[in-house]
Amino acid sequence: MPLISIVVGLTAGLVVWAMLEQIQSRQVNKIFGQELEAQLELRARESLIRFDRYLSSYAATTRLLANYQRLSEYLEPLFWSRETTDPPVLYKEFRPHWLPDFFERDALSPPSHVLLTDVEGRVRELYQAGERPVPERLAVQVPSNLLDTREVRTVIDRLGEQLYLIVSDSVIDAGGYDMGHLVVLVPVDDDFLAASQRGVDVGRAAVALVDGDDQRIVASLDTLSLPPGTTLDRWHALYVITSQTLPEYEGADSNLLFATFVSQAAVEKMSRHVSIFERRQRGIAAAVFIIVFTAVIYLVSSRLNKVLKRMTRFSQRALGIAEPGFDYHGGNQLVLLEEWIQHFSQLVLAARDEMNRRHQAEMRESEALKAAMMEASLDAIVTLDHAGHVIEFNPAAERLLGHRRQHALGLVFVRDCLPETAREGFSALLERSRRPDAGPQGRGELRALRADGEEVPVEISIAPIVLESERFYTLYIHDITERKQAEQEIKGLARFASESPNPILRVTATGLLVYANNASRPLLTAWAAQPGDLLPEPWRAEVAQTLAGAEQRECELEVAGQLFSLLFAPIADLGYVNIYARDITAVRRAEQESRQHQAELVHVCRLSTMGEVATGMAHELNQPLAAIVNYASGCTRRLQGGAGETEALIGAMGQITAQAQRASEIIRRLRALVGKQPPIRAQADLNHLVREVCSFVEFETRRLDLAIALALAPEPIPVRVDLVQVEQVLLNLVRNALDALEEVDAFTRHLSIRTWQEGEEARVAIRDSGPGIAPERIEGLFDAFVTTKESGMGMGLAISQTIIENHEGRIWAESMPGRGSTFFIALPLAAAEAEETAQQPSQVGNSNAS
């Protein structure tokens, strides 16, 4: 019987182990498969979300570049003719000033090419970041399917042998008019995919873009492990592959899929660990069960066998028959058997509890990994149950929504985290995520409600998760406050024209007024026109001339005492003219007052100069007067003595007339130089002006025992100037030179004046051999109130500079201390006039010299 009990125990143990093998293995494999499938699906969706968000960052950066102020200002004066066949402007060695490096600031892979096209897609300007040339398909013309005038266009397509991300957006000039498109090309390679999946362990999960037609890998995160060009069939034995479409980036010729690769070895390793653990637990339980059950059966059967033998012997001795009976010996054998069975059951339960405990520990490790991922996420992640209650809330969600996790769990998300205006939109997104044909997730922009009542704009992606018969929803929430602020700034720039304090108008080629901002009301009142009306005839002609000449034109208009400067800017390719006006009433008034003050100051300085030369002029005037007196006295004496001959008297009278004319000419020049009169410009000979000035200082040169060396051009040098003002400048410079010569010895004194033509300029050089000017005083020599004379005001050179600059000329000085100074004057040559006008100054100069 003990042998039978051992066989029965082994048989019972094997049967129990076989039952546990079937039941527990099936249940554990089912749970593990469901958890593995959910983890793979979640990992694939997270990879696609990161990739999609990375592409959205390129779209946002491209829109920011297309609306960048420098680009708008750069496009404002540009005109791209449709007939031109010139190649695009290429920026290869440097970045154009209208293209800031926003991609590096946003931690994005830099583009290889940036194209600037016109409205028809023709490439006008091209920035090339490296040595790789622009793809031939886009070198001259960008296809229309890659452009969109209403929104940012994002396409992933193959150009030649390389896969590119093509992002385009329309660009406008500073006036708000569509000039074309900004197209950004970014190579999609392993670096691009690595940047889109930043922070992801390649060994655990890799991603790739797959051609949906032939199932070939186009680009992968790890080109060594997943080389491009291979088919997916080759990798099914090594990886668990999840393929997803890219519905948001349709429009390309290539049918691309986003694939996530999880190593089959890692999955099998995890499955093998779970299977080994589960079998180990079942083996331990079965071994314990077999040993205990066999021992119990053996002991019970052994005990019962002894009892039965005793009963048999007792029956045989007492009754002579076999009569059953029990010998307790202090206890019932059946009770002992029951206790052994209970003990065995407790061992089985303990083994099952141990297996459950270890399985729960593995589940906790998986939950800890999931929690770490949620903790490290930069975006808010919220998990809802089928009723919409919050069951998970990561730290990013706490920062965004303002709820602590312990308080957020159990909240109704729609009621407590969304304003009423956003609830209907969220329900639509939730319904979209439930449809299998809507893609991997529902996505949209909504406004979230913080705990303090503040509303913030967010972008929400909804990923449904189905576990057995229950459905959950994971919400990925991204704060787009900064992006909305950037869009608002772009809209504000678009309203720049209407908010401008200066009038801005737009007129068609026919003179039709199509736009006028609020500041244009004075002009509209003067023209008696409103947007939609025709301008008055003279202004329509001005618009037509501007478009015909294709150049900017300026004119002035006085309206009710206000003076406006109108700038007509043609936009020839679009057939309209922009009119930019500004009120210049105060500017003109200030200019008039400045001219009056300047004329008065010039006159004062001229009087001061004439005061200094008064002695010389008086001496020069005294000579002809003394000659007149002498000739008149001689004639009188001859007439009184009766010795006067007619020819002698006529000669004396002629001398009196000549000397009187000389005195009259001296007085005329003095009055012309001193008199206060409005500036009048006339054509004159520069050589004649120099001779006139030299005649004013004859007395002072004789006093210094000095002769001015004149080196005048042999031909007349025509200039159109105010004679009095230019003579004042020359006189001031000559007198300064004479003053400087008084400080040196008489035998070293030298003063020369030279005139010549150089290009389109007439030039004068006045050189003296005085002590010179210190180098530190040269720079401020023409500043007001700077003088070295004890009685000087320091205004002579400052006024001289003002007069020359008003004549569109230049004045400067060169000096070598101890060797003298040279002052130069450059004036524009006058246009050729009638011969009489050109000769008149020379004739006057010759008469004066005589």
Side-chain angles (χ1 to χ4, degrees), residues 370-383 390-406 408-409 474-477:
K370 180 180 177 182
M373 295 173 59
M374 295 187 66
E375 291 283 340
S377 175
L378 298 178
D379 289 339
I381 302 177
V382 180
T383 303
V390 177
I391 61 175
E392 191 53 71
F393 209 74
N394 75 336
E398 293 182 351
R399 295 189 295 269
L400 176 61
L401 300 177
H403 293 283
R404 303 298 298 173
R405 183 177 182 278
Q406 58 269 26
L409 297 180
T474 299
L475 311 182
Y476 299 89
I477 307 173

Side-chain angles (χ1 to χ4, degrees), residues 29-48:
N29 290 335
K30 180 180 179 181
I31 295 174
F32 176 77
Q34 291 176 349
E35 180 65 19
L36 179 61
E37 182 179 357
Q39 290 293 331
L40 294 177
E41 183 70 18
L42 178 61
R43 187 170 299 171
R45 289 180 179 175
E46 288 176 347
S47 299
L48 180 58

Side-chain angles (χ1 to χ4, degrees), residues 42-55:
L42 178 61
R43 187 170 299 171
R45 289 180 179 175
E46 288 176 347
S47 299
L48 180 58
I49 289 171
R50 284 190 292 268
F51 182 79
D52 183 65
R53 188 168 300 151
Y54 192 69
L55 299 186

Side-chain angles (χ1 to χ4, degrees), residues 82 147 165 222 263 313 369 374 400 432 462 472 498 508 562 657 686 785 812-813 845:
R82 299 180 180 179
L147 305 175
L165 170 65
D222 187 1
S263 175
R313 288 194 299 269
L369 179 60
M374 295 187 66
L400 176 61
R432 178 185 172 188
I462 303 178
F472 300 90
S498 61
T508 64
Q562 286 182 284
T657 302
L686 183 60
F785 307 110
W812 70 96

Side-chain angles (χ1 to χ4, degrees), residues 71-79 173-176 179 569 571 578 580:
L71 181 57
S72 300
E73 294 174 352
Y74 176 75
L75 294 175
E76 175 68 17
L78 287 183
F79 169 70
D173 60 12
M179 290 293 290
I571 310 298
N578 289 336
Y580 304 98

Side-chain angles (χ1 to χ4, degrees), residues 85-103:
T85 58
D86 296 336
V89 178
L90 177 62
Y91 301 94
K92 185 175 181 181
E93 301 296 335
F94 62 94
R95 182 187 301 275
H97 78 279
W98 49 261
L99 181 63
D101 195 5
F102 287 160
F103 295 95

